[in-house]
Amino acid sequence: MTILEKQQQEKAKLIKVLSETGMKDIIDIDALQKMQDNIAEISGISIVAVDAKGTPITKETSFTSFCKLRRTIDECRSNCFFSDAYGGLKAAMKNTPYIYKCPAGLVDCAVPINIYGIYLGAILMGQVRCETKSIKGLENVKNFTLEDINEDKTSALYDEYKKTKIVKLERLKLVANMFHLIIDEMIEKKVEELYRKRIEQERDDLKSEVKKMAARQNISKTSIKYNNQSIDLRNRFLTNIMNSLGNLSIIEGAYKTNEMTCLFSKMLQYNFGTHANFVSLEKELDNVKNYLRIQQICSANKFDYELKYSCSLKNKFIPYFSIYIFAENSILHGFDKIDYKGKLKISIFEDERDYFVQIEDNGSGMVSKKFKAFFKKSVDSINTNDYELSIQSFRKRIISLFGEDYDIKIQSKYEKGFRTLIKIPLAIEGIKVNG
C-alpha cells in the first residue's frame, strides 16, 4: 500500500468517526457560547448555534422581541422555522456564509459547520434591518411562504418590528466570515485531537500486543525497545502531517489567507482565555493590532494605523474589549465612505493618578447636531443603531466600575473624524485579571 493510499484510508476512518460523533463532542460549546455572547453584545446581532436537525446547541443571544412574538403566532411560526432550515441548507450546499431575507423582511445569515463534507449544523445570526440598496440582490424566503395574519396581530408585530436594530450589511458579513474562520479553527483543533487520541490508542494496543508476544515467545528486550521506538516515530510522523495540513495555505501560496487565519486564531485565543472583567493593557493592544491588521488585509490597506506610548504599558489593566470597540467603529463607520486613506492613531499616556487611551481617526465624523444628541443620551437609553449601542454599553460599563468621573470623552467634527479619550485608574483594587 502506498503512502497516499494509507493517508486516504486514515482520512476515511476519521470521517467515519466524525460522522458518528455529535457536534457537541466536536465543538467546545461553552467556548462557543462565550464567543457568541461577546460578539452579539458588540455587534448587536442575534446569534444562535444549531445542530444538523435545527436543534439549538447554544442559548439564543440578543433574540429580538419581534422574532419571539412571531414564533408565538401559528401563522408565522412554521415559516420562521422553514426560513432557518432553508438558510442553513443553502449555506451547507455552498460551504460558505449565506445571507438572505426572512419572510418577515429582516436580514438573516447562516454560517455552515461542515467537516469533510459532513453537515453538522450552522450558526444562525441576524434578525436585523439593513439599508434597502445594500440588500436588493438578496434572496427572499418570503417567495416560498404564505401568511394570513389578522389586523390585531399585524399591528402588534409592526410595533415590535420598528424596535429591531439597523445594522450595516458589511458588519453582518464581517461577523459571519469571522465565525466561519473561527469554527473552522475549532474543528481543525478537534480533528488534530482525534488524530492524537487515535494514534495513542494504536500505540497502546501495539504495546499491549508486543507484551503478549514477549510473554509467549520470550522476545528479547532489545526487540521490544525497537518496536516502541518505531511507534514513537510513527506518532511523530503523523503529527508532522497534521502540521503540514495546517500550513497548506503557505504551500499553495495563499499567504494572506494564512496570515488572516493566524491572526483570527490569536483573537480566538484572547477571547477564550479571558474569564475576568480586566485584562492587561498589553494583551488588549495586541488583540486590537490583530484586528486592525485583518481589516487592512480585507480593505486592501485602505487605512494605516499608529500606536504611540509615552509611558510604560507594564502593570496597567483595562476592562476587556475596551479599545477594540472604538477601533472597530473607526474602521466600520469612520472609514466606510471616505475617498482618501484613513489614519487611526492610538496613544497611551498617564498622569499621577490615571492613565489615558486616546483613539483618533481622520474619518467622516458626525455632524454637530447629531453628535450632541447622541452623546447627551442616557447610558441606560435603548438604541437600535449598532454604533450607539456599543458606545453606550461601554459607557455604562466603565461608569459602573469607576464612577461618573471616568465616563469617556468623545470629540467629533464632520468630515474630520473622531477622537475618544478613555481614562483608567493606575491603581485598581480587588480586581480579577486575565493576563
Side-chain angles (χ1 to χ4, degrees), residues 224-239:
I224 296 174
K225 182 178 180 181
Y226 173 79
N227 281 319
N228 286 336
Q229 287 174 342
S230 297
I231 296 166
D232 290 336
L233 285 171
R234 186 183 180 192
N235 190 19
R236 278 204 305 276
F237 172 70
L238 289 174
T239 301

Side-chain angles (χ1 to χ4, degrees), residues 136-194:
K136 278 187 176 180
L138 297 183
E139 184 175 17
N140 194 341
V141 180
K142 186 178 181 180
N143 296 333
F144 309 113
T145 61
L146 291 173
E147 285 184 2
D148 185 14
I149 312 171
N150 64 46
E151 290 185 4
D152 291 340
K153 292 177 180 178
T154 301
S155 176
L157 283 168
Y158 183 68
D159 289 340
E160 296 302 324
Y161 178 85
K162 290 187 292 185
K163 298 177 185 178
T164 57
K165 294 180 175 62
I166 300 173
V167 174
K168 289 189 176 182
L169 185 62
E170 287 304 315
R171 166 168 282 215
L172 183 60
K173 289 180 180 177
L174 177 65
V175 173
N177 289 331
M178 182 172 70
F179 256 112
H180 200 210
L181 281 171
I182 289 172
I183 291 297
D184 284 350
E185 177 81 10
M186 294 174 76
I187 289 176
E188 185 178 334
K189 287 183 177 179
K190 188 63 180 182
V191 169
E192 186 175 347
E193 180 186 339
L194 289 172

Side-chain angles (χ1 to χ4, degrees), residues 267-291:
M267 290 186 71
L268 182 62
Q269 290 170 8
Y270 175 79
N271 188 72
F272 288 170
T274 303
H275 308 289
N277 289 329
F278 291 87
V279 295
S280 71
L281 179 59
E282 291 172 299
K283 281 188 175 290
E284 175 73 5
L285 287 170
D286 284 343
N287 186 59
V288 170
K289 285 189 285 187
N290 291 335
Y291 169 74

Side-chain angles (χ1 to χ4, degrees), residues 23-36:
M23 190 161 74
K24 290 184 178 181
D25 296 321
I26 294 177
I27 293 178
D28 186 336
I29 302 300
D30 291 337
L32 179 61
Q33 182 74 61
K34 186 175 185 294
M35 177 181 66
Q36 172 185 305

Side-chain angles (χ1 to χ4, degrees), residues 226-347:
Y226 173 79
N227 281 319
N228 286 336
Q229 287 174 342
S230 297
I231 296 166
D232 290 336
L233 285 171
R234 186 183 180 192
N235 190 19
R236 278 204 305 276
F237 172 70
L238 289 174
T239 301
N240 288 337
I241 288 177
M242 289 304 301
N243 291 333
S244 297
L245 290 173
N247 293 323
L248 185 59
S249 57
I250 296 178
I251 296 171
E252 295 178 341
Y255 298 109
K256 287 186 178 180
T257 301
N258 181 69
E259 183 181 0
M260 281 191 65
T261 302
C262 292
L263 291 168
F264 268 124
S265 177
K266 290 177 181 178
M267 290 186 71
L268 182 62
Q269 290 170 8
Y270 175 79
N271 188 72
F272 288 170
T274 303
H275 308 289
N277 289 329
F278 291 87
V279 295
S280 71
L281 179 59
E282 291 172 299
K283 281 188 175 290
E284 175 73 5
L285 287 170
D286 284 343
N287 186 59
V288 170
K289 285 189 285 187
N290 291 335
Y291 169 74
L292 293 175
R293 179 55 189 147
I294 289 170
Q295 289 294 351
Q296 281 186 323
I297 295 171
C298 292
S299 66
N301 289 314
K302 185 181 177 182
F303 70 93
D304 291 326
Y305 71 90
E306 175 188 2
L307 280 74
K308 185 177 180 181
Y309 317 135
S310 61
C311 62
S312 171
L313 303 182
K314 299 291 184 183
N315 300 317
K316 288 182 173 64
F317 303 99
I318 193 166
Y320 172 62
F321 257 80
S322 296
I323 305 174
Y324 172 89
I325 293 172
F326 299 97
E328 183 195 45
N329 281 317
S330 290
I331 306 303
L332 297 184
H333 299 278
F335 297 157
D336 61 336
K337 295 180 181 179
I338 62 175
D339 57 3
Y340 50 88
K341 191 156 191 174
K343 292 183 179 179
L344 176 66
K345 182 179 179 180
I346 301 175
S347 306

Side-chain angles (χ1 to χ4, degrees), residues 350-369:
E350 67 182 11
D351 60 19
E352 294 181 356
R353 181 177 143 188
D354 305 300
Y355 78 87
F356 303 85
V357 180
Q358 183 171 277
I359 305 105
E360 52 189 324
D361 65 62
N362 67 338
S364 55
M366 189 182 290
V367 294
S368 180
K369 288 184 179 180

